[in-house]
Amino acid sequence: MNLIILITIIALVHGNQELEVLKDNVHNASQLVVDYQTNTLFFSHSSLFEGKTVLKSAYLNLNTKEFGEISGINSGVATAYDRRKNVVYLGGQDGIYKFNHATKSAKNLRITNYSIRQMFHSPTHGLFFTTFNPEEKAFVYSYGQVGDIVPELTDIKTSLIAVSKKYNIYFANSAGIFVLTNINGVLFKVHLHVIPVNGFASDFDDRLYFSTPNAIFFINENGGILEEVFRVEESETILGLAFTADGNMIYALDDKIMMKKK
């Protein structure tokens, strides 16, 4: 496999869009995703249970502001949304679950051998997920089966993953953000930037974004650059992001969830 070290140009694109607090007093919310059909935000957050801090999967209806924690999942940490089938996936310590809209609960898909860290669904390519230490591996769930994504990614530590329509595979670990990209039939590993990535998201048009503790970036595949589209105050920390169907950006801070309107 060929290795290219790319010095990425980062463009600054800022605006003065209106900000709205969607929910406060919610701690360490991350792994955000929006169910477009019900306009419901799904995420993981820290919650107290029997005197201990645990990770819980939760939902927030953006129309009614109904909030609730999701039962049936152990250490709910990851979320993903299949908009073609209107399926919300949840990931926890005991594998992958499917959300039941009627009961507001999660049911395991008989995938129990993986402690899920993060998930990303591509409408074209399936459900991708990563696992916790010490493995830090990436897999794909498609047609009821779990498998390796590509051989070139098998031995690479992967904390977070996202896949574009062009099947460029973006991933992050302690060294920064990378992409496995196909150029004339040859798979190249490209080191995009030494930057601490803590979340990936796609918008309604399947354009890819990622968050860092201080800013949110758009992955401009056509221009080959990472565009900074939003930055928070120095006293704030971004923990994840998502997009509504009409293009509003949702992002999580330490103790609240915000929406930046178009």
Side-chain angles (χ1 to χ4, degrees):
M1 179 174 61
N2 297 282
L3 173 64
I4 298 175
I5 303 298
L6 176 69
I7 300 176
T8 307
I9 300 172
I10 298 183
L12 303 179
V13 182
H14 292 288
N16 297 313
Q17 293 95 332
E18 178 185 351
L19 297 180
E20 175 187 348
V21 179
L22 293 178
K23 182 166 179 59
D24 56 9
N25 296 318
V26 57
H27 302 290
N28 300 318
S30 63
Q31 306 274 338
L32 285 65
V33 71
V34 175
D35 175 343
Y36 293 148
Q37 186 169 38
T38 63
N39 202 28
T40 300
L41 175 70
F42 291 85
F43 56 95
S44 172
H45 74 121
S46 298
S47 179
L48 283 177
F49 179 73
E50 296 181 350
K52 297 181 180 179
T53 300
V54 297
L55 291 173
K56 289 278 192 177
S57 296
Y59 65 89
L60 176 67
N61 187 297
L62 300 178
N63 297 326
T64 66
K65 299 302 185 288
E66 175 193 0
F67 167 79
E69 293 184 338
I70 300 169
S71 62
I73 179 170
N74 183 17
S75 298
V77 66
T79 62
Y81 175 58
D82 180 348
R83 69 186 191 194
R84 289 185 174 180
K85 298 180 180 179
N86 190 38
V87 173
V88 175
Y89 294 102
L90 303 168
Q93 184 176 321
D94 301 323
I96 299 176
Y97 299 73
K98 179 179 177 181
F99 178 70
N100 186 312
H101 287 81
T103 63
K104 301 292 192 293
S105 63
K107 182 179 180 180
N108 194 283
L109 296 179
R110 298 181 180 178
I111 303 171
T112 60
N113 297 328
Y114 304 90
S115 181
I116 308 301
R117 178 170 184 167
Q118 178 254 357
M119 296 194 300
F120 180 90
H121 187 272
S122 165
T124 308
H125 306 296
L127 177 67
F128 298 83
F129 67 91
T130 63
T131 58
F132 274 105
N133 283 324
E135 293 87 2
E136 285 192 71
K137 296 293 186 181
F139 303 90
V140 60
Y141 173 70
S142 184
Y143 299 105
Q145 300 293 325
V146 173
D148 293 331
I149 300 172
V150 290
E152 287 80 0
L153 200 57
T154 302
D155 296 323
I156 299 176
K157 285 189 176 295
T158 305
S159 302
L160 306 169
I161 192 164
V163 180
S164 72
K165 288 191 292 186
K166 298 178 180 180
Y167 203 62
N168 291 324
I169 302 169
Y170 294 86
F171 64 96
N173 56 32
S174 59
I177 181 172
F178 300 79
V179 63
L180 287 173
T181 185
N182 192 309
I183 301 176
N184 297 326
V186 179
L187 201 60
F188 290 88
K189 175 186 173 185
V190 182
H191 192 177
L192 295 176
H193 205 280
V194 181
I195 195 168
V197 177
N198 58 21
F200 280 111
S202 60
D203 64 14
F204 188 79
D205 297 314
D206 293 329
R207 292 173 295 201
L208 293 182
Y209 297 76
F210 67 89
S211 60
T212 71
N214 305 114
I216 292 172
F217 294 83
F218 165 57
I219 300 175
N220 186 334
E221 290 196 302
N222 294 326
I225 61 175
L226 307 177
E227 298 179 7
E228 182 180 306
V229 295
F230 182 67
R231 178 170 288 270
V232 294
E233 301 292 335
E234 290 186 5
S235 60
E236 297 177 321
T237 301
I238 298 173
L239 300 175
L241 77 158
F243 289 88
T244 63
D246 52 3
N248 295 323
M249 180 191 296
I250 298 174
Y251 62 97
L253 300 176
D254 288 330
D255 59 355
K256 55 190 164 185
I257 299 174
M258 305 290 296
M259 181 163 69
K260 177 173 177 277
K261 298 182 180 179
K262 289 184 66 177

